[in-house]
Amino acid sequence: MAANRAVGKGGAAPLPRYLEIQRDLSAEITSGTWGPGSRVPPEHELQARYQCSRMTVNKALSALAHAGLIVRRRRSGSFVASPTSQQMVLKIHDIQAEVAAAGMSYRFEILDRLVRRPDAEDRARLGRSRSGGRVLALTLVHFANGTPFVHEERLIDLLTVPEAEAEDFSAAPPGSWLLNRVAWTDAEHVIAAIPAEARIAKALAIARKSACLQIERRTWQGGVPVTWALLTYPGDRHRLTSRFGPAQGLMALAAE
Amino acid sequence: MAANRAVGKGGAAPLPRYLEIQRDLSAEITSGTWGPGSRVPPEHELQARYQCSRMTVNKALSALAHAGLIVRRRRSGSFVASPTSQQMVLKIHDIQAEVAAAGMSYRFEILDRLVRRPDAEDRARLGRSRSGGRVLALTLVHFANGTPFVHEERLIDLLTVPEAEAEDFSAAPPGSWLLNRVAWTDAEHVIAAIPAEARIAKALAIARKSACLQIERRTWQGGVPVTWALLTYPGDRHRLTSRFGPAQGLMALAAE
DNA sequence: ACGGTTTATTTGTCTATACATAATCGCGGT
DNA sequence: ACCGCGATTATGTATAGACAAATAAACCGT
């Protein structure tokens, strides 16, 4: 018999079979009917219950495993995972795009620009093991509707991105420029709240020591450092938000 | 012919066929050889190149699409996605577990506890549409090694979690208690930097207006509000970190 | 009772094939 | 030129069957 999901409910949107199974199972799990550690029916049983092939069941279960809702072990079976931690996904947009998306005008100003041999601090910031070469150090401020939006300190490793030395960043800020030029494979983010130091307070036109949200980002390309950025947002003008659901990362699957 | 991946390279770990394809393609993309917008070879072509069935190629491409590295459109083909935004994944641990994991002693203190009919602010905080019922409002402080670690304000919707009213939270703090009792399906996080107001500064034993990292979390169970929490961390004692790679969420796939 | 061997179960991967669906392309009629 | 319609292409979903790998459970000889 060929692919005929004629089993369908009367009308509207005949949800694919594997998504139907996936949804049913994730409902059992997130509703708490099946508690952590309890056993999920094995594939052949679900196959019988849903009257479909094992591959279809497998697709559903693999997706649940990938989303972290269940754990699968050969011969033992599949089990509901214990929710030890919540997971939140933050999308970090390019600053220029972010400002534009909010319908505000964008512009930026480079306060300082320097090419130097990396000192110990620079190497630590870049997450760099090798020595030698040079780095490009930039300080800039991004404006939204004319008011300071975020202060940026950036280091670019010229061993990895030599063409940055000749770039004057008149067309695009270094963040966007890099994003469109260099592929990254690893990134590390640190988020903290800090009081604005004098230099930053002045650049952002806020009071000294007022609360700021600081995002530090390190980026690598296959183990080789690319860039380091320290973004400082006035605390009362910026927040990171993230909506998340259903069930630890399944949303992407359910939406596809 | 049956499943015989005898094509294998001589020795060590015969990586599954679909992962091999996936790795090859993601290498082309993250290395920048295939720039954003460029076309990925169609399935039948990869099938010929790798001498395998279309299902195997499809599995690799679906995974890449799911990871956000490529975009697939029927009839048009698959294309390298434009990296418009970075994605960061933060794991939010239970506070008790987090403190314990750092090898510090843990304890908490409930400063205030009140059951009331929800006012407008409570309803907004919970993301609640229906009216009626009551909420449990709690204020507490968590300590690590005897020093204040985080201040927590919490609302629990007693329409959704009626058993919370009888609970005195002597065994576990409300966050852990809820996590082990109520399944959530949706969550929203907002991260901001704020100056400590007098009440919080006092509870955390820090100076007024000093920078704090604030995490606001709203949790639902299938559209019904469960709880709202406002966690305030002294800025100099806490930071959120996240390591991420390679390539926008593929790490989970590559590791499986 | 103990330790090694066989068996059975469950998941993991793969094939070959089929039909469905979306969307682009080009053809032909007006 | 323009619009509609069929042909083509690429992906999306599904099937039935096969073998591989891991490992828990049963078996068996000492």
Side-chain angles (χ1 to χ4, degrees):
Chain A
M1 187 211 306
N4 182 9
R5 93 176 79 100
V7 207
K9 33 217 22 179
L15 201 65
R17 211 87 176 79
Y18 77 96
L19 277 183
E20 191 187 329
I21 300 173
Q22 197 175 313
R23 259 205 347 188
D24 286 2
L25 298 181
S26 87
E28 299 270 19
I29 295 167
T30 59
S31 75
T33 314
W34 294 350
S38 58
R39 180 159 193 186
V40 175
E43 296 188 351
H44 66 83
E45 200 171 306
L46 292 171
Q47 173 184 357
R49 181 189 305 176
Y50 284 96
Q51 285 292 299
C52 66
S53 75
R54 189 165 80 88
M55 276 297 290
T56 304
V57 172
N58 185 282
K59 192 168 182 178
L61 289 172
S62 298
L64 290 174
H66 184 250
L69 279 187
I70 65 174
V71 172
R72 316 194 74 194
R73 277 199 309 277
R74 276 178 180 162
R75 159 76 221 219
S76 308
S78 304
F79 302 87
V80 176
S82 329
T84 58
S85 69
Q86 296 186 37
Q87 199 171 257
M88 76 188 264
V89 179
L90 287 179
K91 278 197 165 40
I92 305 234
H93 292 89
D94 179 59
I95 293 170
Q96 182 165 13
E98 189 179 354
V99 171
M104 299 188 283
S105 70
Y106 173 79
R107 118 188 128 78
F108 72 97
E109 235 171 61
I110 295 182
L111 303 182
D112 194 50
R113 180 201 169 101
L114 184 66
V115 173
R116 63 166 177 257
R117 316 206 50 186
D119 57 23
E121 189 182 18
D122 290 342
R123 283 204 300 277
R125 286 177 160 177
L126 284 167
R128 201 189 212 230
S129 48
R130 62 188 172 172
S131 59
R134 283 171 308 158
V135 295
L136 172 60
L138 291 161
T139 306
L140 53 154
V141 179
H142 303 259
F143 296 84
N145 273 355
T147 56
F149 181 70
V150 55
H151 179 271
E152 172 176 348
E153 268 187 85
R154 182 174 292 271
L155 290 176
I156 300 175
D157 195 326
L158 292 174
L159 271 183
T160 316
V161 198
E163 66 268 35
E165 187 164 2
E167 176 66 35
D168 66 349
F169 303 108
S170 56
S176 312
W177 185 86
L178 277 167
L179 201 60
N180 289 323
R181 198 135 333 208
V182 186
W184 57 277
T185 57
D186 296 77
E188 183 184 283
H189 291 95
V190 179
I191 300 174
I194 53 114
E197 57 178 279
R199 201 167 43 86
I200 290 177
K202 192 176 169 200
L204 291 175
I206 56 177
R208 270 195 69 199
K209 295 205 179 167
S210 59
C212 289
L213 189 65
Q214 197 172 65
I215 301 178
E216 184 181 11
R217 172 162 56 229
R218 248 181 281 273
T219 311
W220 292 268
Q221 182 188 57
V224 177
V226 176
T227 187
W228 168 87
L230 186 68
L231 304 172
T232 308
Y233 293 88
D236 55 348
R237 280 180 230 163
H238 194 72
R239 39 203 61 215
L240 295 167
T241 67
S242 107
R243 183 68 185 266
F244 198 62
Q248 278 120 311
L250 206 64
M251 100 250 90
L253 298 169
E256 98 180 342
Chain B
M1 188 213 306
N4 183 8
R5 95 176 77 99
V7 206
K9 34 220 14 178
L15 201 65
R17 211 87 176 82
Y18 76 96
L19 277 184
E20 191 188 329
I21 301 173
Q22 196 176 313
R23 259 204 348 189
D24 286 1
L25 298 181
S26 87
E28 299 271 20
I29 295 168
T30 60
S31 74
T33 314
W34 294 351
S38 58
R39 180 157 194 189
V40 175
E43 297 188 350
H44 66 83
E45 201 171 305
L46 293 170
Q47 172 185 357
R49 182 188 307 175
Y50 285 96
Q51 284 292 299
C52 65
S53 76
R54 189 166 78 89
M55 275 300 289
T56 302
V57 172
N58 185 280
K59 191 168 182 176
L61 288 172
S62 299
L64 291 174
H66 183 249
L69 279 189
I70 64 173
V71 172
R72 313 195 76 195
R73 276 198 311 276
R74 278 179 180 161
R75 158 76 220 217
S76 308
S78 303
F79 302 87
V80 176
S82 330
T84 59
S85 68
Q86 296 187 37
Q87 202 171 249
M88 78 188 262
V89 179
L90 286 179
K91 278 198 164 40
I92 305 232
H93 293 89
D94 179 58
I95 294 171
Q96 184 166 10
E98 188 180 354
V99 171
M104 300 188 281
S105 70
Y106 174 78
R107 116 188 129 76
F108 71 96
E109 237 171 62
I110 295 183
L111 303 181
D112 194 50
R113 181 202 167 101
L114 184 65
V115 173
R116 64 167 177 256
R117 318 207 50 187
D119 57 23
E121 190 183 19
D122 291 343
R123 284 203 300 278
R125 285 177 160 178
L126 283 167
R128 200 189 212 229
S129 47
R130 63 188 172 172
S131 60
R134 283 171 309 158
V135 297
L136 172 61
L138 292 160
T139 305
L140 54 155
V141 179
H142 303 260
F143 296 84
N145 273 355
T147 55
F149 181 69
V150 55
H151 179 273
E152 171 176 348
E153 267 187 87
R154 184 174 288 272
L155 290 176
I156 301 175
D157 195 325
L158 293 174
L159 273 182
T160 316
V161 199
E163 65 267 35
E165 186 165 1
E167 177 66 35
D168 66 350
F169 303 109
S170 56
S176 312
W177 185 87
L178 278 167
L179 200 61
N180 289 323
R181 200 132 335 203
V182 185
W184 58 276
T185 56
D186 296 78
E188 184 184 282
H189 291 93
V190 179
I191 300 175
I194 54 115
E197 55 177 281
R199 202 167 44 87
I200 290 177
K202 192 177 168 198
L204 290 175
I206 56 176
R208 270 194 69 196
K209 296 204 179 168
S210 59
C212 289
L213 189 65
Q214 197 172 64
I215 301 178
E216 184 181 12
R217 171 161 57 230
R218 250 181 278 275
T219 312
W220 294 267
Q221 183 187 59
V224 178
V226 175
T227 188
W228 168 87
L230 186 69
L231 304 172
T232 309
Y233 293 88
D236 55 347
R237 281 182 229 161
H238 194 73
R239 38 203 63 213
L240 296 167
T241 67
S242 104
R243 183 69 186 264
F244 198 62
Q248 278 119 311
L250 205 65
M251 100 250 92
L253 298 169
E256 98 181 344

